[in-house]
Amino acid sequence: MRYRPETIFEGYYSWEALKRLWLSLDVQHIQNPAYNADRGPMTVYALRIHTER
Protein backbone atom coordinates (compact mmCIF):
# COMPACT_ATOMS: atom_id res chain seq x y z
CA MET A 1 0.00 0.00 0.00
CA ARG A 2 1.25 3.47 -0.90
CA TYR A 3 0.32 6.10 1.70
CA ARG A 4 -0.67 9.56 0.43
CA PRO A 5 -2.65 12.45 1.94
CA GLU A 6 -6.40 12.15 1.57
CA THR A 7 -8.09 15.19 0.03
CA ILE A 8 -11.82 15.76 -0.27
CA PHE A 9 -13.75 18.35 -2.25
CA GLU A 10 -17.45 18.66 -1.40
CA GLY A 11 -20.27 20.69 -2.88
CA TYR A 12 -23.95 20.69 -2.00
CA TYR A 13 -27.16 22.52 -2.75
CA SER A 14 -30.18 22.69 -0.44
CA TRP A 15 -33.61 23.57 -1.81
CA GLU A 16 -36.85 24.18 0.08
CA ALA A 17 -39.18 22.27 -2.25
CA LEU A 18 -42.30 22.79 -0.12
CA LYS A 19 -43.09 24.64 3.11
CA ARG A 20 -41.77 21.78 5.32
CA LEU A 21 -39.69 19.76 2.86
CA TRP A 22 -36.05 20.32 1.92
CA LEU A 23 -34.05 18.42 -0.68
CA SER A 24 -30.26 18.51 -0.74
CA LEU A 25 -27.92 17.27 -3.46
CA ASP A 26 -24.36 16.47 -2.41
CA VAL A 27 -21.21 15.55 -4.38
CA GLN A 28 -17.87 14.55 -2.85
CA HIS A 29 -14.68 13.90 -4.80
CA ILE A 30 -12.11 11.95 -2.75
CA GLN A 31 -8.47 11.62 -3.75
CA ASN A 32 -6.55 8.76 -2.06
CA PRO A 33 -9.44 7.43 0.07
CA ALA A 34 -8.27 6.03 3.44
CA TYR A 35 -4.81 7.52 2.70
CA ASN A 36 -4.23 4.77 0.11
CA ALA A 37 -2.88 5.95 -3.27
CA ASP A 38 -3.65 2.52 -4.79
CA ARG A 39 -7.41 3.20 -4.44
CA GLY A 40 -9.46 5.94 -5.98
CA PRO A 41 -10.00 8.64 -6.83
CA MET A 42 -13.72 8.24 -6.22
CA THR A 43 -16.81 10.40 -6.46
CA VAL A 44 -19.78 10.00 -4.10
CA TYR A 45 -23.26 11.35 -4.86
CA ALA A 46 -26.03 11.76 -2.27
CA LEU A 47 -29.60 12.96 -2.02
CA ARG A 48 -30.91 14.05 1.38
CA ILE A 49 -34.54 14.64 2.31
CA HIS A 50 -35.52 16.64 5.41
CA THR A 51 -39.08 17.10 6.65
CA GLU A 52 -40.62 18.83 9.67
CA ARG A 53 -44.06 18.75 11.29
Side-chain angles (χ1 to χ4, degrees), residues 16-36:
E16 186 176 354
L18 299 171
K19 186 174 180 178
R20 295 181 176 153
L21 174 71
W22 289 265
L23 301 174
S24 297
L25 299 173
D26 182 46
V27 178
Q28 296 179 11
H29 180 77
I30 306 168
Q31 189 72 34
N32 304 324
Y35 303 98
N36 186 349

Side-chain angles (χ1 to χ4, degrees), residues 3-52:
Y3 292 100
R4 297 288 185 270
E6 179 181 84
T7 55
I8 301 173
F9 173 78
E10 180 177 17
Y12 72 94
Y13 182 78
S14 183
W15 173 54
E16 186 176 354
L18 299 171
K19 186 174 180 178
R20 295 181 176 153
L21 174 71
W22 289 265
L23 301 174
S24 297
L25 299 173
D26 182 46
V27 178
Q28 296 179 11
H29 180 77
I30 306 168
Q31 189 72 34
N32 304 324
Y35 303 98
N36 186 349
D38 295 329
R39 300 192 183 248
M42 64 184 292
T43 303
V44 179
Y45 302 94
L47 171 65
R48 291 180 276 197
I49 300 171
H50 176 87
T51 62
E52 292 184 3

